[in-house]
């Protein structure tokens, strides 16, 4: 079968992985990759003709003919991405697996997204230059649509604001401490009761309260009494004191959370006494639910590790040197820490969600950890929680970023969506130049590669089987490879009665498709 994906394979085949095996200079490989990627985006056949081997499997001209037909389908190709997934040396050259993505617009205005995993071969020609010898599609996913569902309107409605980090980068000493530069969250809710949802936006320097005036947002931070509030990660509009009004709750960097009660007339008042028993910490996020069944909202606080104390999470794939989370019981006039099982686990928790997965009437907790395994805490009542992660099949080892409960399959019970990192970084373990100690190189390279592959595979969709166990469905549902995900949520964006997924993602990525 003819396939138009030579460009993809060539991009991937000329990555830094090839550079290490062929001693090709890295800057040359990166430059070649950039040229090929730009050539595909510009639909330039000449950029690819010279990159195919003369004995290309299936014939070079036939392949280029198929590629031309593919280009003719698109009126525009604004974006392409390629990631090297794995690579190994074989007789006469190398074999690799690669992920390639295209975002394009067809001649009739249809938006088309293509996602393929390729198996490809490549070798050096007589002049010592790299050429593609084979391309075999392994997986393919295509999504098409009118592209008219959403339109960017932030600037026109008053939301063109820029996040600032807690700590500026120390240019002189090149010092960047992970954890101090995280983005902050936001929350929407009708604070003033006018029927329009307002916004509370976290920030490292100064939070913002944006009042919604008939669909346009006005900065009311100072008037609301929130001026000077910084070092914020999570910003929540939630009724903590059960008076029917939304309060403002903030998780913070290396200090106590902060609570501002809504006094009405768009005015918040800080009440430190509510949180005076809460320890300081590197708080990432929070979850609010009635965990003890007394009618008011309790709080689960997610605490991250502190890099200055431990240097870095260890071991990277299952770290246990983070900080324990904090559970707070709402006593009506303050939030008090509770010595519950989830608060005894040292982890690098980024998020937690609450939902009654077992249908017994009380909210259970799913705790998502960076650098390790996740935990499903079954609520047995009376602040007794049991870790059922192993037996439920939801440990989901990886770099967890966010999660939520939702009935995506419509069978009446709650499933779990987990945002994880998908990265091509594991390919380096296929490179014999990657430094490992001699013993590890002889006996553990395959093991280390496989373990890294597990934790970098991407998102999880855990389907509730109704018997206390879950089954992984992310691959079958096509949601694993969302790149470096930072969060995920279920919502019905097209109002068809079933749950869709929104997954924010992104990271600092180099020009090399071997990069993340």
């Amino acid at each position: 079968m003819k396939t138009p994906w030579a460009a993809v394979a060539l991009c991937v085949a000329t990555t830094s992985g090839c550079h290490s095996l062929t001693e090709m200079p890295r800057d040359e490989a990166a430059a070649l990759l950039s040229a090929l990627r730009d050539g595909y985006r510009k639909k330039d056949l000449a950029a690819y003709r010279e990159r195919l081997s003369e004995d290309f499997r299936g014939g070079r001209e036939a392949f280029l003919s198929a590629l031309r037909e593919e280009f003719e389908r698109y009126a525009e190709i604004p974006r392409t991405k390629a990631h090297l997934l794995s690579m190994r040396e074989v007789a006469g050259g190398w074999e690799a697996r690669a992920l390639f993505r295209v975002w394009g617009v067809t001649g009739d205005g249809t938006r088309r997204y293509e996602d393929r995993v390729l198996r490809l071969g490549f070798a050096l020609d007589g002049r010592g230059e790299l050429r593609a010898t084979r391309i075999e599609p392994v997986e393919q996913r295509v999504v098409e649509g009118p592209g008219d569902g959403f339109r960017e309107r932030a600037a026109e409605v008053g939301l063109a604001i820029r996040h600032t980090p807690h700590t500026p980068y120390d240019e002189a000493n090149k010092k960047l401490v992970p954890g101090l530069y995280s983005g902050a969250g936001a929350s929407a809710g009708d604070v003033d009761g006018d029927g329009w949802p307002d916004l509370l936006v976290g920030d490292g320097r100064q939070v913002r309260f944006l009042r919604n005036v008939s669909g346009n947002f006005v900065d009311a931070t100072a008037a609301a009494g929130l001026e000077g509030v910084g070092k914020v990660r999570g910003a929540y509009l939630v009724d903590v004191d059960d008076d029917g009004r939304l309060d403002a709750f903030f998780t913070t960097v290396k200090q106590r959370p902060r609570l501002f009660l809504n006094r009405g007339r768009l005015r918040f008042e800080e009440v430190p006494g509510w949180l005076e028993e809460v320890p300081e910490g590197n708080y990432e996020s929070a979850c609010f639910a009635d965990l003890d069944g007394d009618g008011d909202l309790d709080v689960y606080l997610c605490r991250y590790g502190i890099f200055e104390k431990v240097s870095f999470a260890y071991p990277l794939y299952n770290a246990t040197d983070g900080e324990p989370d904090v559970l707070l019981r709402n006593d009506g006039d303050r939030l008090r820490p509770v010595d519950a099982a989830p608060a005894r686990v040292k982890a690098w928790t980024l998020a937690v969600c609450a939902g009654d997965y077992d249908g017994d009437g009380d909210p259970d907790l799913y705790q998502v950890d960076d650098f390790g395994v996740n935990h499903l805490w079954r609520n047995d009542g009376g602040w007794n929680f049991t870790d059922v992660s192993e037996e439920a099949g939801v440990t989901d080892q990886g770099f967890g970023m966010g999660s939520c409960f939702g009935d995506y399959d419509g069978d009446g019970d709650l499933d779990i969506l987990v945002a994880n990192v998908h990265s091509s970084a594991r390919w380096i373990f296929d490179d014999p130049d990657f430094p490992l100690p001699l013993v590890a190189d002889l006996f553990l390279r395959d093991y280390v590669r496989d373990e890294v592959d597990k934790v970098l595979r991407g998102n999880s969709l855990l389907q509730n089987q109704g018997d206390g166990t879950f089954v992984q469905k992310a691959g079958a549902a096509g949601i694993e490879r969302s790149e470096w995900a930072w969060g995920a949520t279920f919502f019905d964006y097209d109002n068809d009665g079933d749950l869709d997924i929104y997954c924010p993602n992104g990271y600092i990525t180099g020009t090399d498709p071997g990069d993340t």
Side-chain angles (χ1 to χ4, degrees), residues 180-199:
L180 300 186
Y181 299 85
S182 301
S187 183
D190 185 8
V191 173
D192 52 3
D194 64 354
W196 293 88
D198 309 297
L199 291 176

Side-chain angles (χ1 to χ4, degrees), residues 3-18 21 33 36 51-53 55-57 63 81-101 116-124 130-139 427 513-514:
T3 175
W5 297 90
V8 181
L10 295 173
C11 287
V12 179
T14 54
T15 65
S16 61
C18 301
L21 292 176
L33 170 62
L36 291 173
R51 309 299 176 184
L52 297 182
S53 169
D55 59 351
F56 182 82
R57 181 173 294 188
F63 184 86
K81 273 196 172 184
H83 291 295
L84 186 65
L85 300 177
S86 65
M87 185 170 60
R88 65 191 182 97
E89 192 166 7
V90 297
W94 300 268
E95 182 179 276
R97 284 171 58 91
L99 172 64
F100 180 70
R101 291 168 165 168
R116 282 203 177 191
V117 174
L118 305 172
R119 180 181 296 111
L120 55 108
F122 49 94
L124 298 178
L130 201 66
R131 296 287 184 264
T133 60
R134 180 183 63 175
I135 299 174
E136 296 175 356
V138 177
E139 300 174 26
W427 74 266

Side-chain angles (χ1 to χ4, degrees), residues 252-319:
T252 56
V253 179
K254 298 182 183 177
Q255 57 185 21
R256 287 190 182 91
R258 300 179 71 175
L259 173 62
F260 292 74
L261 295 182
N262 186 341
R263 299 307 191 187
R265 299 181 181 275
L266 287 174
R267 186 73 183 177
F268 295 94
E269 178 187 358
E270 186 165 20
V271 285
W274 272 72
L275 297 167
E276 63 185 4
E277 298 179 34
V278 180
E280 293 186 354
N282 210 19
Y283 291 103
E284 286 286 344
S285 62
C287 178
F288 302 84
D290 184 9
L291 298 176
D292 53 7
D294 65 352
D296 52 25
L297 293 177
D298 307 300
V299 188
Y300 187 113
L301 292 172
C302 301
R303 279 207 295 187
Y304 206 56
I306 299 177
F307 285 96
E308 295 90 333
K309 289 174 59 176
V310 299
S311 180
F312 208 82
Y314 181 82
L316 195 62
Y317 55 87
N318 192 20

Side-chain angles (χ1 to χ4, degrees), residues 462-510:
L462 305 171
Q463 185 188 59
N464 193 332
Q465 301 301 291
D467 59 359
T469 66
F470 292 76
V471 173
Q472 175 67 264
K473 294 291 184 178
I479 71 160
E480 273 188 331
R481 299 190 294 264
S482 294
E483 303 186 23
W484 199 291
W486 290 105
T489 189
F490 286 121
F491 77 121
D492 183 11
Y493 95 94
D494 52 3
N495 292 320
D496 64 352
D498 51 28
L499 294 178
D500 309 298
I501 292 172
Y502 184 74
C503 181
N505 65 74
Y507 201 67
I508 302 170
T509 304

Side-chain angles (χ1 to χ4, degrees), residues 377-419:
W377 297 100
R378 188 185 65 212
N379 190 340
D380 296 324
W383 291 98
N384 295 305
F385 291 86
T386 302
D387 188 350
V388 295
S389 312
E390 289 283 353
E391 61 194 72
V394 296
T395 52
D396 196 49
Q397 187 173 14
F399 299 108
M401 299 292 173
S403 67
C404 68
F405 282 103
D407 183 12
Y408 88 92
D409 54 3
D411 65 351
D413 52 28
L414 294 179
D415 311 298
I416 305 174
L417 173 65
V418 187

Side-chain angles (χ1 to χ4, degrees), residues 284 300 302-304 325 347-352 367-370:
E284 286 286 344
Y300 187 113
C302 301
R303 279 207 295 187
Y304 206 56
D325 295 337
W348 296 72
T349 308
L350 283 176
V352 68
Q367 171 193 356
V368 177
D369 292 338
D370 202 355

